[in-house]
Amino acid sequence: MTTPVYQNFINGDFLKNQSGETFAVKNPATDEVIYHVEVADSFVQNAAIESAKQGFAVWSAMAPIERSRILLKAVALLRERNDLLAKIEVLDTGKPWQEAECVDVQTGADVIEYFAGLAPAQVGQQQMVGEDFFYTRKEPLGICAGIGAWNYPLQIACWKSGPALAAGNALIFKPSEETPLGAIKLAEIFTEAGVPAGVFNVVQGAAEVGQWLTHSPDIEKVSFTGEVGTGKKVVASAAGTLKDVTMELGGKSPLLVFEDADISQAVSAAMLGNFYTQGEICTNCTRIYVHKSVYQQFIDELKTRTEQNIVAGDPLDPSVNFGALISKNHHNLVMGYIEKGINEGATLLTGGKALRPESAPNGYFVAPTVFTDCTDDMTIVKEEIFGPVMSVLVFEDEDDVIRRANDTHLGLAAGVFTKDIKRAHRVIHQMQAGICWINSYGNSPAEMPVGGYKQSGIGRENGIETLDHYTQTKSIYVGMTDIESPF
Ligand code: NAD
């Protein structure tokens, strides 16, 4: 059977490359190639820049409320095509339909809707200085680039295009080479909604195409989502042309469960924050610190619920709630971490092995895994695994657990479970993390800014401030009096 070949999406349409180079995309749940994609060669790259320049000229000259109306049409189309798009995400990522059907497309559409609403509300300032005055304009940056990870492909494309386009920029987006189709579908939707040609181009490929975006002199900003190591390369490369950067990187986030917490709720949060999307979420609370007095109760309930309630299998089956990891490579990497956990002396409470569900025997499944008796110096406690591997640790003292939780170069997220309202805020205010939850975990509405402290990121996505990150301020001084000059 022949599989489809997708081209790059440039200037409002598909564009064939000249090199003829393609890459294959596999369904992680079946290990089968499902389609091929053309790599953006230099012909496509040049076309992407040229059309983005033209698209930018048209789009940035439009009244913001007009841009807003067009983006809202795209939002309606995204919602209308929810199931079709969700299925693409399931086949590309291996995540369960149960999740994609109600999260991936909707949270993407929400963000575009949010920024479409804000676009006409952005205003400059005016101030008198004596009889003269100045005013400021919020102007778009020009051509921006977005580079995405593979865990929430369509959502990431929406989170980057929403504010970029609302502010009047053009965006060249490169999805992960593991999950390239969702962004193409978004490009089709933008075009159908009336976004002018060239305003949202999709270029395809791996690191080399990403690198081109980071050093192209025609690109003003790079918004990147991916690993810390890649993020550092992107920042270094972007420095060559002094591009603005936004970095949404990895994490190793702590969840603190105090003795007065609702333990069932805390277990729910720990499971969501480690097993949702089979553990492939950047904000996951992979270090769970549990107060000694409730430790046994916590791990007993955690073990029971993990073993009884998680259903791995064909991700398209609506009863399945746990999918396959993105690739064979990643599967091996996660299994390697599990082996390290065992070798370094952690106790395997449950999981710890590859799975071969009957309905998806060739998929890259790893069982939901919980390690107990973990110590802070273990590799599984220190490094981001990006899979369904939870480490549980014990604590007794509040100050001590805060110090331990912060003892990492990462700072993406953190959570605390306690019924003591003062402690909840006192503790969370001391967490060195950009995204924090009290008696909750993982929710990320469009209105809430998200991003990392320390090496987990630079800048923010979502929330009002993000629109500012896609504009630059122009100050205009107006002389109302004669110029005083010694010449
Ligand atoms: P990755 O860093 O391997 O790849 C991300 C993207 O960068 C891909 O599109 C890839 O092709 C591209 N790329 C690779 N090398 C490049 C280079 N030298 N220059 C420019 N682009 C390059 O990350 P991944 O494996 O796709 O995603 C998993 C990682 O993403 C995890 O670390 C996870 O924590 C992180 N993540 C963070 C967030 C967040 O919002 N903070 C969200 C999702 C994922």
Side-chain angles (χ1 to χ4, degrees):
M1 200 178 78
T2 53
T3 55
V5 181
Y6 291 98
Q7 297 171 346
N8 293 270
F9 196 96
I10 309 291
N11 203 32
D13 211 344
F14 289 97
L15 180 68
K16 191 168 172 43
N17 71 6
Q18 288 186 342
S19 67
E21 198 189 336
T22 62
F23 61 93
V25 177
K26 279 186 170 183
N27 176 348
T30 62
D31 189 40
E32 280 168 4
V33 173
I34 43 178
Y35 58 91
H36 287 80
V37 178
E38 290 192 359
V39 175
D41 58 5
S42 55
F43 168 73
V44 171
Q45 293 174 6
N46 290 337
I49 296 287
E50 284 318 307
S51 73
K53 282 182 185 165
Q54 288 167 20
F56 174 69
V58 178
W59 187 238
S60 60
M62 253 183 214
I65 201 155
E66 185 58 28
R67 291 202 293 264
S68 173
R69 285 188 196 116
I70 293 172
L71 292 175
L72 289 174
K73 275 187 205 154
V75 170
L77 289 170
L78 277 164
R79 296 214 170 108
E80 220 175 277
R81 290 179 200 165
N82 181 75
D83 288 6
L84 194 129
L85 298 165
K87 188 172 174 195
I88 288 172
E89 296 301 80
V90 172
L91 297 177
D92 271 9
T93 63
K95 70 172 66 185
W97 165 260
Q98 228 187 59
E99 292 181 14
E101 185 262 336
C102 62
V103 173
D104 292 58
V105 189
Q106 294 189 23
T107 52
D110 285 353
V111 166
I112 300 179
E113 184 174 39
Y114 174 74
F115 285 109
L118 285 179
Q122 248 201 340
V123 289
Q125 294 172 324
Q126 181 274 340
Q127 188 174 9
M128 298 306 295
V129 273
E131 287 175 46
D132 294 350
F133 68 95
F134 74 87
Y135 63 95
T136 60
R137 281 161 56 85
K138 292 278 188 189
E139 297 189 347
L141 300 171
I143 306 174
C144 301
I147 300 177
W150 42 255
N151 59 339
Y152 279 80
L154 180 67
Q155 186 206 63
I156 292 172
C158 292
W159 284 21
K160 297 198 188 301
S161 57
L165 268 53
N169 301 282
L171 185 74
I172 303 179
F173 186 78
K174 190 196 87 62
S176 165
E177 62 277 23
E178 314 267 13
T179 54
L181 191 49
I184 297 177
K185 294 291 159 192
L186 178 63
E188 288 177 335
I189 284 175
F190 276 143
T191 304
E192 207 175 315
V195 171
V199 172
F200 183 74
N201 290 327
V202 178
V203 292
Q204 303 282 8
E208 322 79 64
V209 179
Q211 277 161 10
W212 159 68
L213 289 170
T214 63
H215 61 64
S216 164
D218 295 304
I219 291 172
E220 302 295 335
K221 173 188 170 101
V222 180
S223 176
F224 173 82
T225 299
E227 286 179 11
V228 174
T230 318
K232 288 178 185 173
K233 289 183 198 158
V234 169
V235 173
S237 174
T241 45
L242 285 180
K243 290 187 203 329
D244 196 348
V245 291
T246 299
M247 292 285 129
E248 295 291 342
L249 309 176
K252 190 73 193 176
S253 304
L255 177 70
L256 277 45
V257 181
F258 283 90
E259 63 276 20
D260 61 345
D262 179 327
I263 297 301
S264 289
Q265 286 287 301
V267 169
S268 295
M271 289 180 70
L272 271 174
N274 279 276
F275 304 142
Y276 204 71
T277 317
Q278 53 289 332
E280 296 167 328
I281 297 186
C282 53
T283 49
N284 272 357
C285 47
T286 45
R287 295 182 290 143
I288 312 274
Y289 292 89
V290 184
H291 192 272
K292 195 176 178 192
S293 61
V294 290
Y295 182 75
Q296 197 57 47
Q297 185 191 349
F298 181 90
I299 60 171
D300 287 347
E301 181 170 340
L302 177 63
K303 181 173 160 63
T304 307
R305 287 173 58 183
T306 301
E307 288 173 358
Q308 288 180 359
N309 299 348
I310 290 186
V311 185
D314 175 2
L316 284 171
D317 175 345
S319 67
V320 162
N321 60 20
F322 189 82
L325 296 182
I326 188 70
S327 64
K328 186 80 200 146
N329 271 350
H330 191 55
H331 180 273
N332 293 343
L333 195 92
V334 173
M335 289 306 296
Y337 273 112
I338 290 173
E339 210 178 304
K340 273 190 196 141
I342 294 167
N343 292 341
E344 292 178 18
T347 304
L348 197 53
L349 181 74
T350 185
K353 56 181 193 299
L355 288 180
R356 278 178 69 85
E358 225 172 273
S359 57
N362 300 321
Y364 318 129
F365 291 85
V366 170
T369 298
V370 179
F371 280 109
T372 55
D373 301 319
C374 296
T375 53
D376 294 338
D377 57 345
M378 289 176 177
T379 310
I380 52 166
V381 177
K382 290 167 87 154
E383 294 182 13
E384 184 184 48
I385 301 173
F386 220 55
V389 184
M390 182 193 309
S391 298
V392 187
L393 305 102
V394 192
F395 78 91
E396 288 186 72
D397 174 70
E398 180 182 308
D399 288 339
D400 189 48
V401 75
I402 291 169
R403 183 194 55 73
R404 291 168 65 195
N406 285 333
D407 186 18
T408 161
H409 64 284
L410 300 171
L412 190 58
V416 56
F417 270 76
T418 175
K419 289 191 188 123
D420 178 341
I421 190 168
K422 287 185 184 161
R423 172 155 64 192
H425 294 286
R426 182 174 67 230
V427 169
I428 218 76
H429 291 180
Q430 294 176 78
M431 286 292 120
Q432 294 164 357
I435 313 166
C436 293
W437 290 280
I438 294 174
N439 296 331
S440 181
Y441 208 87
N443 275 348
S444 197
E447 299 87 338
M448 186 173 94
V450 289
Y453 278 20
K454 300 196 266 190
Q455 292 189 26
S456 285
I458 302 174
R460 293 292 176 268
E461 284 192 324
N462 300 347
I464 286 182
E465 66 187 271
T466 295
L467 205 54
D468 283 338
H469 294 312
Y470 280 97
T471 60
Q472 48 197 341
T473 302
K474 178 177 280 176
S475 298
I476 300 158
Y477 187 100
V478 181
M480 302 291 286
T481 50
D482 287 345
I483 293 172
E484 278 176 32
S485 168
F487 309 113

